[in-house]
Amino acid sequence: MENVTRTTCPYCGVGCGVLIEKHPDGSVRVKGDPDHPANFGRLCSKGTALGDTVGLEERLLYPEINGERASWDNALDTIADRFKQIIAEDGPDAIAFYVSGQILTEDYYAANKLMKGVIGSANIDTNSRLCMASSVAGHKRAFGADTVPGCYEDLELADLIVLTGTNLAWCHPVLYQRIVQAKKGNPKLKVVLIDPRRTMTADIADLHLPISPDGDIALFLGLLAEISRSDQFDANYVGAYTNGMEDAVASACSLSQKEIMSQTGLTEAELKTFYELFVSNEKVVTIYSQGVNQSRVGSNKVNAIINCHLATGRIGRPGMGPFSVTGQPNAMGGREVGGLANMLACHMDIENPSHRRIVGEFWKSGTLPTEPGLKAIELFQAVADGKIRALWIMSTNPVVSMPDANAVRAAIQSCPLVIVSDVQAHTDTLDLAHIKLPAIAWGEKDGTVTNSERCISRQRSFLPAPGEAKADWWHMAEVGRRMGYGSLFDWQGPADIFREYAALSAEQNEGTRDFDIGAWRDKDEEAYGTMAPFQWPAIKGTTSTSNHRFFADGGFFTPDRKARAVKVTTDCALEAQATLPDHSFILNTGRVRDHWHTMTRTARSARLSAHLSEPYCEIHPEDAQELEIKNGDLVLVENALGSVIVRAAISDKIKQGQLFVPMHWTDQYSANARIDQLVPSIKDPVSGQPASKSAHVRISHASIGSFGFAVLRDKPENLTLPYWTLARSKDGWRLEFGLEENAGATSSKFIMTALGIASSTEPLVFLDRAKQRSRYAWFDGEHLVASVFLAKEPVTISRDFVSSLLAGNWSSFAQRAQVIAGVPGKETPDKGKIICACMNVGLNEITAAKAKGCCSVDAIGKATGAGTNCGSCKPEIAEMLHDVAAE
Ligand code: SF4
């Protein structure tokens, strides 16, 4: 196909293949790749909108030192010289790297080699520590290696899919769609959702278990006990291929039904139904992600799940197995390449002398560390303590995403040398850097990523590198060369790195290690260029097959090749469930459908910003009533670590006593909504993964005198309002804000200053002092510059309609009055809040179609177009059909 580039989506761990068609005007068309085994042509709303995100506005294009443009030579020499000086004065452990599941495998390999093979420290950790380190720890304890045993095809072959701690509908939408499709083809297929919240994923669940936070261990211990009493306990598999099952089962059986009910918050009937489903269905896949991993007992949760699959021998066979799905596009690649502080490259272990010898000899490095380095939380603590003198952060935003984020910001501010490689000109973290290195972005990069089912795919460039931006691997190779290790970084491009990586994976392997892609060690540039997605292992001399599974016949990567059934108790979980302080809530954090991580990419897209354009706090109706919080109020969520102001969203999907706030918003898009500042630095003792879903917080009304909404042609800068949230709209910006002043006491001049509106014309004004409402609109000729709505209550106008007015011509007074009215006239139907980002279909249109008799998601799709492209909004439409309250 001419002008079509085959590449991979840069968002979640599903790892969908995409086809990019470049148009002469510079725009790009994105389609799902029908030949990619992860998605077979499907995409979700984020993948579909990738074309909106490739522009160059607000890109970092040149290196900078202390805020001044610098040459690459100057920047790289400075880094290399300072590193050498710090190593000489304080040793290699005074340097640390904090990298990212966003970077490619080749970048990761270079970072790992520079830190562990040249600098001589293991102080390199990755934001994947926040995402799936507990799964890694659980895999390594049970299997002897970080091996994901199954593959996506198992979802189509299973008769039961257990989704625990995962909102697949929003966080892994294409896997969700695969299950929806599988259910259509196999009416026997049952889905169980285990989640404290009734998320959109509940739409496909035959059973939803609204479990108490951290109640999963008790739930799966109860299941193991049930299995041990049933004829599904596979004594042959357990005897031949596992150790420790007796102890694991004894621990499970020591828990009474009453204790299980109390710790899970589930009824006897709910438990019985789940246990019967699991026991009676041989083909069962248990999918888990952050709800399991992001806990102080995450590793034990993972092992409690794996034990149930080992006890039944349901692992590594078609349609069955435990399945950790990763959050990030290359979290798996980072794990494989040794991006975690406790790993070496190619799934080898720092603490294993034989592995250290293999890697040391292969790299010709005499400096390999012998001890694991600092994991994320300890790493930033060491920065705060002054033990780290140079910190290099790559493609990640810890000032937003790390727990105790305010302390992390203070730590970075105190570090003598902070280097940040990024694609954006401003992020909350980049703004603190002494040296800024411009990296190339998705669309410009070349390399590989690994998805959740061990499938390695190419990301290919279809755009030139802008300005002086360079690949991350190049940044590190250049620093390595300038430190005097040119021969270790003798790479001309990513293909050279991949070949070296493949060769290392096969070095003295002979089946002793799971990760072996030796088949790629001698492949030439052309083969790398045309690489089709393949699942590892890809052992030299064998044919790599798709849908490879591990462990059906044992073959674990422990010394005796047997799995370890880890004895798990609920002791730590009980600590985690300790009684809340008075008037406190448990805070859950997570993703929304159309935003990604800290929004550096998705916030560029107006259509992705339309679905949920503001940070919010989900609260149960009875809690809200008790606190006199109304839907749409601005609320203060706080604890001893910090506070945020977000919009209240009252919902019975969340249990009483719990709150949910999304993780995405940063200081670039909101006044104060970095929710991770409230998450304490509590971590799983085995994996080091932070417990991001169980902070204790209080909630109350934010002190706001009036509420505002504005659409603005120009991006407002340096806002100092007590509350604001900015989102891109098709022709400008939309701003939600709050003022200390009451709405009746403001003037147009005050508003212009507060929102940074530049206009020399008098605004059109509407004032209702009795009701404390005011509205303003500024025009430039026939065009709208800004329109502002203020009230003492949350503003109730049609936001999507008002946002669309920036595109119109407004010459007559009658037309301009419509702008001030804030609702469309009879001739222009009001779409309402956008539900389908692809087809731009709003809530009101779906409600109208429902009123006209459309009673299925497909019928709504036929009538309105909603859900007919990527399908990511289908669960929300289904919910609207079931649930009048949701409207
Ligand atoms: Fe990208 Fe969506 Fe596929 Fe994830 S599910 S890889 S975000 S298209």
Side-chain angles (χ1 to χ4, degrees):
M1 289 177 284
E2 241 182 286
N3 284 334
V4 173
T5 305
R6 207 176 275 274
T7 184
T8 311
C9 174
Y11 293 119
C12 81
V14 179
C16 297
V18 294
L19 299 177
I20 303 293
E21 208 177 280
K22 259 179 83 175
H23 293 181
D25 65 358
S27 64
V28 297
R29 180 151 177 253
V30 180
K31 285 198 304 194
D33 181 350
D35 298 326
H36 197 288
N39 56 320
F40 297 109
R42 298 177 184 91
L43 289 179
C44 73
S45 47
K46 291 187 285 289
T48 304
L50 272 167
D52 300 355
T53 69
V54 294
L56 292 185
E57 70 275 26
E58 300 184 16
R59 282 288 299 270
L60 179 67
L61 296 174
Y62 305 98
E64 286 180 22
I65 301 178
N66 295 325
E68 301 289 327
R69 184 170 166 178
S71 69
W72 270 111
D73 275 338
N74 191 0
L76 296 164
D77 284 340
T78 304
I79 296 168
D81 291 346
R82 291 289 299 276
F83 279 4
K84 284 193 282 187
Q85 182 198 355
I86 290 168
I87 293 167
E89 289 172 2
D90 291 311
D93 287 337
I95 301 173
F97 292 177
Y98 186 64
V99 300
S100 163
Q102 307 292 311
I103 62 176
L104 305 183
T105 297
E106 291 76 0
D107 303 320
Y108 248 131
Y109 183 85
N112 201 39
K113 190 173 186 182
L114 177 61
M115 178 51 85
K116 290 173 184 156
V118 169
I119 293 170
S121 169
N123 284 345
I124 170 169
D125 212 36
T126 155
N127 62 8
S128 299
R129 179 73 58 195
L130 316 182
C131 170
M132 34 39 55
S134 295
S135 283
V136 176
H139 289 162
K140 290 185 75 173
R141 287 201 299 189
F143 308 147
D146 177 21
T147 317
V148 173
C151 51
Y152 294 159
E153 189 196 49
D154 291 328
L155 303 177
E156 278 108 25
L157 300 175
D159 289 328
L160 173 67
I161 297 176
V162 179
L163 304 170
T164 180
T166 179
N167 181 8
L168 224 56
W170 278 14
C171 304
H172 297 90
V174 164
L175 290 189
Y176 176 87
Q177 289 173 29
R178 284 182 71 156
I179 297 174
V180 170
Q181 203 57 38
K183 271 197 114 181
K184 281 188 185 155
N186 174 14
K188 257 179 71 192
L189 172 58
K190 293 269 183 288
V191 176
V192 176
L193 173 67
I194 302 166
D195 196 311
R197 291 193 302 145
R198 200 178 75 241
T199 62
M200 285 299 163
T201 304
D203 185 47
I204 48 162
D206 299 280
L207 175 68
H208 170 218
L209 300 177
I211 196 166
S212 300
D214 289 326
D216 329 42
I217 294 185
L219 180 70
F220 283 93
L221 284 182
L223 176 59
L224 183 61
E226 193 69 24
I227 290 167
S228 72
R229 293 188 285 264
S230 77
D231 60 3
Q232 290 304 304
F233 184 83
D234 190 339
N236 291 336
Y237 187 92
V238 169
Y241 303 131
T242 74
N243 284 319
M245 188 61 79
E246 210 172 311
D247 280 354
V249 168
S251 172
C253 291
S254 69
L255 208 60
S256 70
Q257 178 80 354
K258 211 167 142 199
E259 286 169 314
I260 298 172
M261 285 165 60
S262 139
Q263 291 180 36
T264 58
L266 300 174
T267 64
E268 197 170 345
E270 286 170 325
L271 292 169
K272 186 164 179 275
T273 309
F274 172 52
Y275 292 165
E276 278 178 6
L277 272 171
F278 197 102
V279 169
S280 61
N281 282 285
E282 187 186 22
K283 291 188 169 181
V284 51
V285 176
T286 307
I287 293 190
Y288 51 95
S289 58
Q290 273 66 322
V292 165
N293 294 330
Q294 290 179 334
S295 156
R296 68 170 79 185
V297 288
S299 305
N300 280 351
K301 289 185 188 182
V302 170
N303 286 108
I305 293 167
I306 290 174
N307 284 349
C308 294
H309 282 270
L310 291 173
T312 47
R314 296 172 184 169
I315 186 166
R317 289 188 281 146
M320 50 189 105
F323 204 149
S324 140
V325 288
T326 58
Q328 298 197 77
N330 200 28
M332 287 282 276
R335 283 149 72 166
E336 289 152 18
V337 90
L340 293 162
N342 49 327
M343 306 276 291
L344 282 176
C346 302
H347 277 190
M348 285 186 263
D349 293 317
I350 285 188
E351 283 150 311
N352 182 323
S354 146
H355 289 176
R356 282 204 305 275
R357 182 186 49 73
I358 293 169
V359 177
E361 285 174 7
F362 186 87
W363 280 349
K364 299 185 178 54
S365 161
T367 62
L368 274 195
T370 55
E371 303 277 336
L374 298 169
K375 298 180 183 131
I377 285 182
E378 292 104 13
L379 189 150
F380 284 101
Q381 186 58 52
V383 174
D385 294 344
K387 293 177 186 155
I388 303 289
R389 289 182 53 202
L391 174 65
W392 191 344
I393 299 167
M394 293 167 213
S395 294
T396 185
N397 206 351
V399 168
V400 183
S401 54
M402 278 292 293
D404 203 356
N406 288 342
V408 166
R409 178 167 59 191
I412 296 172
Q413 280 169 328
S414 73
C415 187
L417 175 60
V418 178
I419 305 151
V420 178
S421 313
D422 209 303
V423 300
Q424 292 291 106
H426 293 285
T427 73
D428 294 6
T429 301
L430 186 88
D431 289 348
L432 308 181
H434 301 106
I435 301 182
K436 300 176 184 173
L437 302 180
I440 51 176
W442 181 80
E444 299 148 15
K445 288 181 180 207
D446 248 319
T448 54
V449 288
T450 310
N451 72 6
S452 298
E453 63 160 353
R454 290 176 278 108
C455 181
I456 296 179
S457 301
R458 283 294 314 274
Q459 267 195 23
R460 294 184 174 91
S461 65
F462 53 89
L463 295 168
E468 293 180 8
K470 300 273 192 190
D472 289 280
W473 68 262
W474 183 89
H475 301 181
M476 286 165 286
E478 281 299 318
V479 170
R481 285 176 195 137
R482 288 158 205 257
M483 289 178 75
Y485 296 87
S487 63
L488 269 62
F489 300 95
D490 189 19
W491 305 316
Q492 300 307 308
D496 290 340
I497 304 175
F498 193 78
R499 270 191 293 273
E500 180 179 315
Y501 172 53
L504 177 55
S505 76
E507 188 76 8
Q508 300 176 48
N509 190 331
E510 281 104 39
T512 57
R513 306 192 301 271
D514 62 344
F515 185 74
D516 185 340
I517 55 168
W520 282 87
R521 63 184 300 163
D522 304 317
K523 294 274 167 89
D524 62 15
E525 204 79 24
E526 194 190 337
Y528 182 77
T530 57
M531 177 194 289
F534 71 95
Q535 204 178 23
W536 64 259
I539 298 165
K540 193 167 171 63
T542 64
T543 316
S544 147
T545 57
S546 55
N547 302 324
H548 177 98
R549 297 174 180 86
F550 283 93
F551 311 139
D553 301 310
F556 295 91
F557 295 95
T558 52
D560 63 1
R561 305 304 297 248
K562 287 188 174 185
R564 299 183 202 105
V566 177
K567 179 182 163 190
V568 173
T569 69
T570 56
D571 298 351
C572 306
L574 282 173
E575 263 175 52
Q577 289 184 321
T579 318
L580 280 172
D582 279 352
H583 311 299
S584 290
F585 288 77
I586 293 178
L587 172 69
N588 190 352
T589 63
R591 293 181 169 154
V592 302
R593 190 190 80 189
D594 287 355
H595 276 305
W596 177 257
H597 277 199
T598 60
M599 295 168 52
T600 48
R601 190 181 290 121
T602 48
R604 291 165 163 261
S605 167
R607 58 177 148 158
L608 292 180
S609 301
H611 179 238
L612 288 168
S613 56
E614 198 175 9
Y616 61 90
C617 177
E618 228 168 61
I619 180 169
H620 189 274
E622 288 184 31
D623 288 332
Q625 192 180 18
E626 197 180 321
L627 295 164
E628 297 180 359
I629 290 171
K630 295 191 296 303
N631 211 23
D633 280 352
L634 289 172
V635 288
L636 183 77
V637 183
E638 62 181 334
N639 61 15
L641 299 174
S643 63
V644 299
I645 299 179
V646 291
R647 189 75 68 178
I650 298 174
S651 164
D652 64 0
K653 291 181 195 158
I654 191 149
K655 283 168 89 170
Q656 268 186 277
Q658 298 178 24
L659 304 173
F660 174 82
V661 177
M663 58 177 265
H664 306 289
W665 273 268
T666 70
D667 288 354
Q668 309 296 317
Y669 291 101
S670 201
N672 180 19
R674 290 182 300 116
I675 193 62
D676 278 297
Q677 58 180 298
L678 272 61
V679 172
S681 293
I682 293 171
K683 60 184 192 302
D684 178 292
V686 184
S687 67
Q689 175 152 2
S692 302
K693 292 178 175 290
S694 53
H696 294 175
V697 298
R698 293 176 303 282
I699 180 169
S700 58
H701 280 276
S703 170
I704 295 291
S706 56
F707 295 81
F709 174 75
V711 293
L712 305 162
R713 185 186 62 188
D714 303 317
K715 185 181 180 189
E717 303 288 349
N718 306 319
L719 292 167
T720 55
L721 309 166
Y723 175 76
W724 59 267
T725 294
L726 195 58
R728 211 171 280 257
S729 67
K730 191 163 162 281
D731 300 291
W733 299 85
R734 48 198 278 179
L735 180 76
E736 300 280 353
F737 63 96
L739 299 175
E740 280 160 13
E741 295 73 12
N742 81 45
T746 58
S747 65
S748 61
K749 217 167 181 177
F750 173 87
I751 295 292
M752 286 178 82
T753 309
L755 306 190
I757 297 167
S759 175
S760 53
T761 61
E762 283 298 312
L764 188 62
V765 180
F766 165 85
L767 280 179
D768 181 340
R769 290 196 196 279
K771 289 188 178 160
Q772 290 189 31
R773 282 190 201 145
S774 53
R775 297 178 174 191
Y776 306 86
W778 285 264
F779 296 88
D780 176 4
E782 295 180 342
H783 300 296
L784 180 63
V785 172
S787 178
V788 179
F789 302 79
L790 267 181
K792 68 172 181 175
E793 305 284 349
V795 172
T796 53
I797 52 151
S798 172
R799 283 158 166 75
D800 290 283
F801 166 72
V802 175
S803 301
S804 72
L805 302 183
L806 284 171
N809 290 336
W810 311 99
S811 48
S812 72
F813 179 78
Q815 286 174 319
R816 292 181 175 195
Q818 207 187 336
V819 175
I820 286 280
V823 287
K826 277 193 190 123
E827 68 290 353
T828 322
D830 179 10
K831 285 173 178 291
K833 175 179 148 15
I834 295 300
I835 300 296
C836 174
C838 300
M839 307 305 284
N840 196 29
V841 182
L843 176 69
N844 294 348
E845 293 168 292
I846 294 169
T847 309
K850 182 182 166 189
K852 282 186 191 152
C854 296
C855 54
S856 70
V857 174
D858 288 344
I860 296 277
K862 273 200 187 115
T864 66
T868 56
N869 185 40
C870 76
S872 298
C873 59
K874 282 182 170 179
E876 272 162 283
I877 299 170
E879 181 170 78
M880 283 174 211
L881 291 171
H882 300 154
D883 183 2
V884 176
E887 294 170 22

